[in-house]
Amino acid sequence: DQQVKQNSPSLSVQEGRISILNCDYTNSMFDYFLWYKKYPAEGPTFLISISSIKDKNEDGRFTVFLNKSAKHLSLHIVPSQPGDSAVYFCAASWEGAQKLVFGQGTRLTINP
Amino acid sequence: GAVVSQHPSRVICKSGTSVKIECRSLDFQATTMFWYRQFPKQSLMLMATSNEGSKATYEQGVEKDKFLINHASLTLSTLTVTSAHPEDSSFYICSASPSGPPQYFGPGTRLTVL
């Protein structure tokens, strides 16, 4: 039972354009969502998070949008840079729990 | 802040031997740490929750006698893969947090069992 789903295994975007990564979840108990970036053979790096009481959170080039009714969140990166090429994982958690449930990841490639 | 380290970064061992992986929180104390496993091109799968001073909590399907976890101090958790076999070859990653999310991850340990 995949509670957090990233349906796009890969995404290719031109440098300077917007990258949009999507994530869906099924468990309505989730109330905290995170995005991590991961390079091969390295641990994930925290990017940005959002609580379920918000629908948007912004940090520099990264913005996360949450649509609770659709159980959907997205990560926008603008403008996209070559260094953004990596695998992006969406993760979810719930109140009182520290552990995370991860999606399958989306490999983002930024083309010059 | 919130730096997590792992040691070793890479280990190769013979089948049947045991391997210990250390996870340390360098600039904060962590009563709870997490151990994940990642297969090639797959997601991170939570193996267990390591609790300082008490037994670890294992996820369903994870053999607790095979993957021994010890959380002896507020800055150190160890994962020991006992009697390792080739199917245990994987990328093992730990995480911790000063308080609640987000979790901060270590750099990972690549285990290869020959």
Side-chain angles (χ1 to χ4, degrees), chain A residues 47-75:
Chain A
L47 279 177
I48 192 169
S49 62
I50 188 167
S51 164
S52 62
I53 62 174
K54 294 185 175 182
D55 54 19
K56 176 183 175 181
N57 189 26
E58 190 172 356
D59 184 1
R61 296 186 298 116
F62 303 93
T63 303
V64 56
F65 295 92
L66 175 62
N67 183 333
K68 289 185 289 295
S69 60
K71 294 191 176 66
H72 177 85
L73 64 155
S74 61
L75 174 68

PDB file of all heavy atoms in Angstrom, chain A residues 47-75:
ATOM      1  N   LEU A  47      14.696  20.075   1.773  1.00  0.00           N
ATOM      2  CA  LEU A  47      14.503  21.273   0.964  1.00  0.00           C
ATOM      3  C   LEU A  47      13.496  22.232   1.581  1.00  0.00           C
ATOM      4  O   LEU A  47      13.783  23.391   1.847  1.00  0.00           O
ATOM      5  CB  LEU A  47      14.006  20.888  -0.433  1.00  0.00           C
ATOM      6  CG  LEU A  47      15.019  20.425  -1.454  1.00  0.00           C
ATOM      7  CD1 LEU A  47      14.293  20.019  -2.736  1.00  0.00           C
ATOM      8  CD2 LEU A  47      16.052  21.502  -1.750  1.00  0.00           C
ATOM      9  N   ILE A  48      12.292  21.733   1.753  1.00  0.00           N
ATOM     10  CA  ILE A  48      11.198  22.592   2.179  1.00  0.00           C
ATOM     11  C   ILE A  48      10.085  21.720   2.722  1.00  0.00           C
ATOM     12  O   ILE A  48       9.971  20.546   2.355  1.00  0.00           O
ATOM     13  CB  ILE A  48      10.706  23.470   0.997  1.00  0.00           C
ATOM     14  CG1 ILE A  48       9.780  24.583   1.481  1.00  0.00           C
ATOM     15  CG2 ILE A  48      10.060  22.616  -0.093  1.00  0.00           C
ATOM     16  CD1 ILE A  48       9.488  25.621   0.393  1.00  0.00           C
ATOM     17  N   SER A  49       9.276  22.293   3.604  1.00  0.00           N
ATOM     18  CA  SER A  49       8.165  21.531   4.172  1.00  0.00           C
ATOM     19  C   SER A  49       6.930  22.408   4.257  1.00  0.00           C
ATOM     20  O   SER A  49       6.987  23.624   4.061  1.00  0.00           O
ATOM     21  CB  SER A  49       8.537  21.019   5.562  1.00  0.00           C
ATOM     22  OG  SER A  49       8.780  22.106   6.444  1.00  0.00           O
ATOM     23  N   ILE A  50       5.809  21.754   4.548  1.00  0.00           N
ATOM     24  CA  ILE A  50       4.558  22.488   4.708  1.00  0.00           C
ATOM     25  C   ILE A  50       3.664  21.745   5.684  1.00  0.00           C
ATOM     26  O   ILE A  50       3.569  20.513   5.647  1.00  0.00           O
ATOM     27  CB  ILE A  50       3.858  22.703   3.343  1.00  0.00           C
ATOM     28  CG1 ILE A  50       2.664  23.642   3.502  1.00  0.00           C
ATOM     29  CG2 ILE A  50       3.443  21.376   2.709  1.00  0.00           C
ATOM     30  CD1 ILE A  50       2.109  24.142   2.175  1.00  0.00           C
ATOM     31  N   SER A  51       3.036  22.504   6.543  1.00  0.00           N
ATOM     32  CA  SER A  51       2.065  21.947   7.470  1.00  0.00           C
ATOM     33  C   SER A  51       0.693  21.956   6.810  1.00  0.00           C
ATOM     34  O   SER A  51       0.414  22.781   5.939  1.00  0.00           O
ATOM     35  CB  SER A  51       2.031  22.791   8.742  1.00  0.00           C
ATOM     36  OG  SER A  51       0.891  22.521   9.507  1.00  0.00           O
ATOM     37  N   SER A  52      -0.172  21.074   7.272  1.00  0.00           N
ATOM     38  CA  SER A  52      -1.508  20.976   6.658  1.00  0.00           C
ATOM     39  C   SER A  52      -2.382  22.187   6.925  1.00  0.00           C
ATOM     40  O   SER A  52      -3.444  22.340   6.325  1.00  0.00           O
ATOM     41  CB  SER A  52      -2.205  19.710   7.144  1.00  0.00           C
ATOM     42  OG  SER A  52      -2.387  19.746   8.543  1.00  0.00           O
ATOM     43  N   ILE A  53      -1.958  23.066   7.830  1.00  0.00           N
ATOM     44  CA  ILE A  53      -2.755  24.267   8.085  1.00  0.00           C
ATOM     45  C   ILE A  53      -2.473  25.354   7.038  1.00  0.00           C
ATOM     46  O   ILE A  53      -3.134  26.382   7.015  1.00  0.00           O
ATOM     47  CB  ILE A  53      -2.506  24.830   9.496  1.00  0.00           C
ATOM     48  CG1 ILE A  53      -1.048  25.266   9.668  1.00  0.00           C
ATOM     49  CG2 ILE A  53      -2.892  23.805  10.543  1.00  0.00           C
ATOM     50  CD1 ILE A  53      -0.793  25.964  10.998  1.00  0.00           C
ATOM     51  N   LYS A  54      -1.481  25.097   6.204  1.00  0.00           N
ATOM     52  CA  LYS A  54      -1.145  26.048   5.153  1.00  0.00           C
ATOM     53  C   LYS A  54      -1.410  25.432   3.785  1.00  0.00           C
ATOM     54  O   LYS A  54      -1.547  24.218   3.648  1.00  0.00           O
ATOM     55  CB  LYS A  54       0.338  26.437   5.237  1.00  0.00           C
ATOM     56  CG  LYS A  54       0.718  27.221   6.480  1.00  0.00           C
ATOM     57  CD  LYS A  54       2.164  27.661   6.395  1.00  0.00           C
ATOM     58  CE  LYS A  54       2.548  28.551   7.554  1.00  0.00           C
ATOM     59  NZ  LYS A  54       3.962  29.010   7.443  1.00  0.00           N
ATOM     60  N   ASP A  55      -1.471  26.274   2.777  1.00  0.00           N
ATOM     61  CA  ASP A  55      -1.591  25.742   1.417  1.00  0.00           C
ATOM     62  C   ASP A  55      -0.401  26.137   0.543  1.00  0.00           C
ATOM     63  O   ASP A  55      -0.312  25.718  -0.606  1.00  0.00           O
ATOM     64  CB  ASP A  55      -2.900  26.159   0.762  1.00  0.00           C
ATOM     65  CG  ASP A  55      -3.108  27.664   0.784  1.00  0.00           C
ATOM     66  OD1 ASP A  55      -2.125  28.412   0.967  1.00  0.00           O
ATOM     67  OD2 ASP A  55      -4.259  28.111   0.610  1.00  0.00           O
ATOM     68  N   LYS A  56       0.498  26.920   1.113  1.00  0.00           N
ATOM     69  CA  LYS A  56       1.669  27.340   0.341  1.00  0.00           C
ATOM     70  C   LYS A  56       2.800  27.697   1.287  1.00  0.00           C
ATOM     71  O   LYS A  56       2.577  28.300   2.346  1.00  0.00           O
ATOM     72  CB  LYS A  56       1.306  28.548  -0.528  1.00  0.00           C
ATOM     73  CG  LYS A  56       2.447  29.156  -1.324  1.00  0.00           C
ATOM     74  CD  LYS A  56       1.982  30.387  -2.086  1.00  0.00           C
ATOM     75  CE  LYS A  56       3.139  31.084  -2.789  1.00  0.00           C
ATOM     76  NZ  LYS A  56       2.685  32.303  -3.527  1.00  0.00           N
ATOM     77  N   ASN A  57       4.006  27.320   0.887  1.00  0.00           N
ATOM     78  CA  ASN A  57       5.189  27.730   1.620  1.00  0.00           C
ATOM     79  C   ASN A  57       6.303  27.983   0.624  1.00  0.00           C
ATOM     80  O   ASN A  57       6.514  27.189  -0.296  1.00  0.00           O
ATOM     81  CB  ASN A  57       5.617  26.660   2.632  1.00  0.00           C
ATOM     82  CG  ASN A  57       6.711  27.154   3.562  1.00  0.00           C
ATOM     83  OD1 ASN A  57       6.836  28.356   3.795  1.00  0.00           O
ATOM     84  ND2 ASN A  57       7.507  26.258   4.098  1.00  0.00           N
ATOM     85  N   GLU A  58       6.994  29.080   0.808  1.00  0.00           N
ATOM     86  CA  GLU A  58       7.986  29.503  -0.165  1.00  0.00           C
ATOM     87  C   GLU A  58       9.331  29.708   0.507  1.00  0.00           C
ATOM     88  O   GLU A  58       9.420  30.243   1.613  1.00  0.00           O
ATOM     89  CB  GLU A  58       7.512  30.815  -0.815  1.00  0.00           C
ATOM     90  CG  GLU A  58       8.290  31.280  -1.999  1.00  0.00           C
ATOM     91  CD  GLU A  58       7.630  32.478  -2.683  1.00  0.00           C
ATOM     92  OE1 GLU A  58       6.528  32.875  -2.258  1.00  0.00           O
ATOM     93  OE2 GLU A  58       8.221  33.010  -3.628  1.00  0.00           O
ATOM     94  N   ASP A  59      10.398  29.287  -0.182  1.00  0.00           N
ATOM     95  CA  ASP A  59      11.754  29.493   0.317  1.00  0.00           C
ATOM     96  C   ASP A  59      12.667  29.669  -0.884  1.00  0.00           C
ATOM     97  O   ASP A  59      13.082  28.692  -1.519  1.00  0.00           O
ATOM     98  CB  ASP A  59      12.199  28.301   1.164  1.00  0.00           C
ATOM     99  CG  ASP A  59      13.568  28.524   1.789  1.00  0.00           C
ATOM    100  OD1 ASP A  59      14.163  29.601   1.597  1.00  0.00           O
ATOM    101  OD2 ASP A  59      14.057  27.613   2.480  1.00  0.00           O
ATOM    102  N   GLY A  60      12.936  30.923  -1.192  1.00  0.00           N
ATOM    103  CA  GLY A  60      13.802  31.197  -2.333  1.00  0.00           C
ATOM    104  C   GLY A  60      13.188  30.722  -3.635  1.00  0.00           C
ATOM    105  O   GLY A  60      12.068  31.082  -3.973  1.00  0.00           O
ATOM    106  N   ARG A  61      13.908  29.873  -4.336  1.00  0.00           N
ATOM    107  CA  ARG A  61      13.411  29.372  -5.627  1.00  0.00           C
ATOM    108  C   ARG A  61      12.402  28.231  -5.465  1.00  0.00           C
ATOM    109  O   ARG A  61      11.822  27.783  -6.456  1.00  0.00           O
ATOM    110  CB  ARG A  61      14.583  28.877  -6.468  1.00  0.00           C
ATOM    111  CG  ARG A  61      15.592  29.952  -6.858  1.00  0.00           C
ATOM    112  CD  ARG A  61      16.648  29.416  -7.818  1.00  0.00           C
ATOM    113  NE  ARG A  61      17.436  28.344  -7.235  1.00  0.00           N
ATOM    114  CZ  ARG A  61      17.442  27.099  -7.694  1.00  0.00           C
ATOM    115  NH1 ARG A  61      16.698  26.758  -8.737  1.00  0.00           N
ATOM    116  NH2 ARG A  61      18.204  26.179  -7.121  1.00  0.00           N
ATOM    117  N   PHE A  62      12.218  27.774  -4.261  1.00  0.00           N
ATOM    118  CA  PHE A  62      11.359  26.616  -4.006  1.00  0.00           C
ATOM    119  C   PHE A  62      10.043  27.029  -3.353  1.00  0.00           C
ATOM    120  O   PHE A  62      10.025  27.780  -2.379  1.00  0.00           O
ATOM    121  CB  PHE A  62      12.082  25.615  -3.088  1.00  0.00           C
ATOM    122  CG  PHE A  62      13.406  25.145  -3.636  1.00  0.00           C
ATOM    123  CD1 PHE A  62      14.587  25.782  -3.285  1.00  0.00           C
ATOM    124  CD2 PHE A  62      13.458  24.073  -4.510  1.00  0.00           C
ATOM    125  CE1 PHE A  62      15.800  25.351  -3.798  1.00  0.00           C
ATOM    126  CE2 PHE A  62      14.677  23.638  -5.024  1.00  0.00           C
ATOM    127  CZ  PHE A  62      15.841  24.284  -4.670  1.00  0.00           C
ATOM    128  N   THR A  63       8.961  26.524  -3.919  1.00  0.00           N
ATOM    129  CA  THR A  63       7.635  26.749  -3.356  1.00  0.00           C
ATOM    130  C   THR A  63       6.906  25.425  -3.317  1.00  0.00           C
ATOM    131  O   THR A  63       6.899  24.686  -4.311  1.00  0.00           O
ATOM    132  CB  THR A  63       6.832  27.752  -4.196  1.00  0.00           C
ATOM    133  OG1 THR A  63       7.560  28.979  -4.292  1.00  0.00           O
ATOM    134  CG2 THR A  63       5.478  28.027  -3.554  1.00  0.00           C
ATOM    135  N   VAL A  64       6.291  25.132  -2.190  1.00  0.00           N
ATOM    136  CA  VAL A  64       5.472  23.923  -2.088  1.00  0.00           C
ATOM    137  C   VAL A  64       4.016  24.345  -1.926  1.00  0.00           C
ATOM    138  O   VAL A  64       3.699  25.262  -1.167  1.00  0.00           O
ATOM    139  CB  VAL A  64       5.935  23.008  -0.925  1.00  0.00           C
ATOM    140  CG1 VAL A  64       5.946  23.748   0.399  1.00  0.00           C
ATOM    141  CG2 VAL A  64       5.072  21.769  -0.839  1.00  0.00           C
ATOM    142  N   PHE A  65       3.161  23.691  -2.691  1.00  0.00           N
ATOM    143  CA  PHE A  65       1.726  23.924  -2.648  1.00  0.00           C
ATOM    144  C   PHE A  65       1.042  22.666  -2.132  1.00  0.00           C
ATOM    145  O   PHE A  65       1.389  21.555  -2.532  1.00  0.00           O
ATOM    146  CB  PHE A  65       1.193  24.249  -4.048  1.00  0.00           C
ATOM    147  CG  PHE A  65       1.715  25.536  -4.620  1.00  0.00           C
ATOM    148  CD1 PHE A  65       2.858  25.533  -5.414  1.00  0.00           C
ATOM    149  CD2 PHE A  65       1.070  26.735  -4.377  1.00  0.00           C
ATOM    150  CE1 PHE A  65       3.358  26.719  -5.947  1.00  0.00           C
ATOM    151  CE2 PHE A  65       1.545  27.920  -4.915  1.00  0.00           C
ATOM    152  CZ  PHE A  65       2.695  27.916  -5.701  1.00  0.00           C
ATOM    153  N   LEU A  66       0.052  22.864  -1.270  1.00  0.00           N
ATOM    154  CA  LEU A  66      -0.696  21.738  -0.720  1.00  0.00           C
ATOM    155  C   LEU A  66      -2.182  21.915  -0.998  1.00  0.00           C
ATOM    156  O   LEU A  66      -2.764  22.949  -0.656  1.00  0.00           O
ATOM    157  CB  LEU A  66      -0.461  21.626   0.792  1.00  0.00           C
ATOM    158  CG  LEU A  66      -1.263  20.567   1.533  1.00  0.00           C
ATOM    159  CD1 LEU A  66      -0.920  19.167   1.013  1.00  0.00           C
ATOM    160  CD2 LEU A  66      -1.031  20.653   3.035  1.00  0.00           C
ATOM    161  N   ASN A  67      -2.776  20.905  -1.585  1.00  0.00           N
ATOM    162  CA  ASN A  67      -4.218  20.875  -1.834  1.00  0.00           C
ATOM    163  C   ASN A  67      -4.789  19.709  -1.031  1.00  0.00           C
ATOM    164  O   ASN A  67      -4.746  18.555  -1.468  1.00  0.00           O
ATOM    165  CB  ASN A  67      -4.492  20.699  -3.334  1.00  0.00           C
ATOM    166  CG  ASN A  67      -5.972  20.723  -3.664  1.00  0.00           C
ATOM    167  OD1 ASN A  67      -6.823  20.383  -2.840  1.00  0.00           O
ATOM    168  ND2 ASN A  67      -6.288  21.118  -4.870  1.00  0.00           N
ATOM    169  N   LYS A  68      -5.286  20.023   0.149  1.00  0.00           N
ATOM    170  CA  LYS A  68      -5.727  18.955   1.061  1.00  0.00           C
ATOM    171  C   LYS A  68      -6.933  18.198   0.516  1.00  0.00           C
ATOM    172  O   LYS A  68      -7.050  16.994   0.706  1.00  0.00           O
ATOM    173  CB  LYS A  68      -6.047  19.549   2.436  1.00  0.00           C
ATOM    174  CG  LYS A  68      -4.802  20.008   3.198  1.00  0.00           C
ATOM    175  CD  LYS A  68      -5.167  20.480   4.583  1.00  0.00           C
ATOM    176  CE  LYS A  68      -5.907  21.792   4.586  1.00  0.00           C
ATOM    177  NZ  LYS A  68      -5.062  22.913   4.091  1.00  0.00           N
ATOM    178  N   SER A  69      -7.827  18.904  -0.115  1.00  0.00           N
ATOM    179  CA  SER A  69      -9.037  18.233  -0.618  1.00  0.00           C
ATOM    180  C   SER A  69      -8.675  17.209  -1.693  1.00  0.00           C
ATOM    181  O   SER A  69      -9.310  16.163  -1.807  1.00  0.00           O
ATOM    182  CB  SER A  69     -10.036  19.246  -1.157  1.00  0.00           C
ATOM    183  OG  SER A  69      -9.468  19.982  -2.226  1.00  0.00           O
ATOM    184  N   ALA A  70      -7.658  17.509  -2.461  1.00  0.00           N
ATOM    185  CA  ALA A  70      -7.223  16.584  -3.515  1.00  0.00           C
ATOM    186  C   ALA A  70      -6.135  15.637  -3.020  1.00  0.00           C
ATOM    187  O   ALA A  70      -5.710  14.747  -3.773  1.00  0.00           O
ATOM    188  CB  ALA A  70      -6.719  17.370  -4.723  1.00  0.00           C
ATOM    189  N   LYS A  71      -5.674  15.845  -1.793  1.00  0.00           N
ATOM    190  CA  LYS A  71      -4.563  15.066  -1.251  1.00  0.00           C
ATOM    191  C   LYS A  71      -3.374  15.115  -2.213  1.00  0.00           C
ATOM    192  O   LYS A  71      -2.813  14.088  -2.638  1.00  0.00           O
ATOM    193  CB  LYS A  71      -4.973  13.621  -0.955  1.00  0.00           C
ATOM    194  CG  LYS A  71      -5.994  13.484   0.171  1.00  0.00           C
ATOM    195  CD  LYS A  71      -6.146  12.018   0.581  1.00  0.00           C
ATOM    196  CE  LYS A  71      -7.081  11.850   1.751  1.00  0.00           C
ATOM    197  NZ  LYS A  71      -8.473  12.205   1.424  1.00  0.00           N
ATOM    198  N   HIS A  72      -3.002  16.308  -2.557  1.00  0.00           N
ATOM    199  CA  HIS A  72      -1.970  16.529  -3.561  1.00  0.00           C
ATOM    200  C   HIS A  72      -1.064  17.667  -3.136  1.00  0.00           C
ATOM    201  O   HIS A  72      -1.525  18.680  -2.609  1.00  0.00           O
ATOM    202  CB  HIS A  72      -2.625  16.862  -4.913  1.00  0.00           C
ATOM    203  CG  HIS A  72      -1.656  17.183  -5.995  1.00  0.00           C
ATOM    204  ND1 HIS A  72      -1.047  16.197  -6.760  1.00  0.00           N
ATOM    205  CD2 HIS A  72      -1.151  18.369  -6.433  1.00  0.00           C
ATOM    206  CE1 HIS A  72      -0.230  16.762  -7.624  1.00  0.00           C
ATOM    207  NE2 HIS A  72      -0.281  18.080  -7.455  1.00  0.00           N
ATOM    208  N   LEU A  73       0.232  17.466  -3.355  1.00  0.00           N
ATOM    209  CA  LEU A  73       1.157  18.569  -3.165  1.00  0.00           C
ATOM    210  C   LEU A  73       2.130  18.625  -4.331  1.00  0.00           C
ATOM    211  O   LEU A  73       2.326  17.633  -5.047  1.00  0.00           O
ATOM    212  CB  LEU A  73       1.901  18.493  -1.832  1.00  0.00           C
ATOM    213  CG  LEU A  73       2.839  17.344  -1.537  1.00  0.00           C
ATOM    214  CD1 LEU A  73       3.862  17.804  -0.511  1.00  0.00           C
ATOM    215  CD2 LEU A  73       2.079  16.161  -0.965  1.00  0.00           C
ATOM    216  N   SER A  74       2.675  19.802  -4.511  1.00  0.00           N
ATOM    217  CA  SER A  74       3.622  19.976  -5.605  1.00  0.00           C
ATOM    218  C   SER A  74       4.770  20.873  -5.157  1.00  0.00           C
ATOM    219  O   SER A  74       4.613  21.708  -4.271  1.00  0.00           O
ATOM    220  CB  SER A  74       2.930  20.561  -6.844  1.00  0.00           C
ATOM    221  OG  SER A  74       2.384  21.830  -6.550  1.00  0.00           O
ATOM    222  N   LEU A  75       5.893  20.655  -5.782  1.00  0.00           N
ATOM    223  CA  LEU A  75       7.087  21.462  -5.545  1.00  0.00           C
ATOM    224  C   LEU A  75       7.412  22.207  -6.836  1.00  0.00           C
ATOM    225  O   LEU A  75       7.545  21.585  -7.892  1.00  0.00           O
ATOM    226  CB  LEU A  75       8.264  20.577  -5.148  1.00  0.00           C
ATOM    227  CG  LEU A  75       9.620  21.290  -5.018  1.00  0.00           C
ATOM    228  CD1 LEU A  75       9.611  22.256  -3.825  1.00  0.00           C
ATOM    229  CD2 LEU A  75      10.763  20.282  -4.863  1.00  0.00           C
TER     230      LEU A  75
END
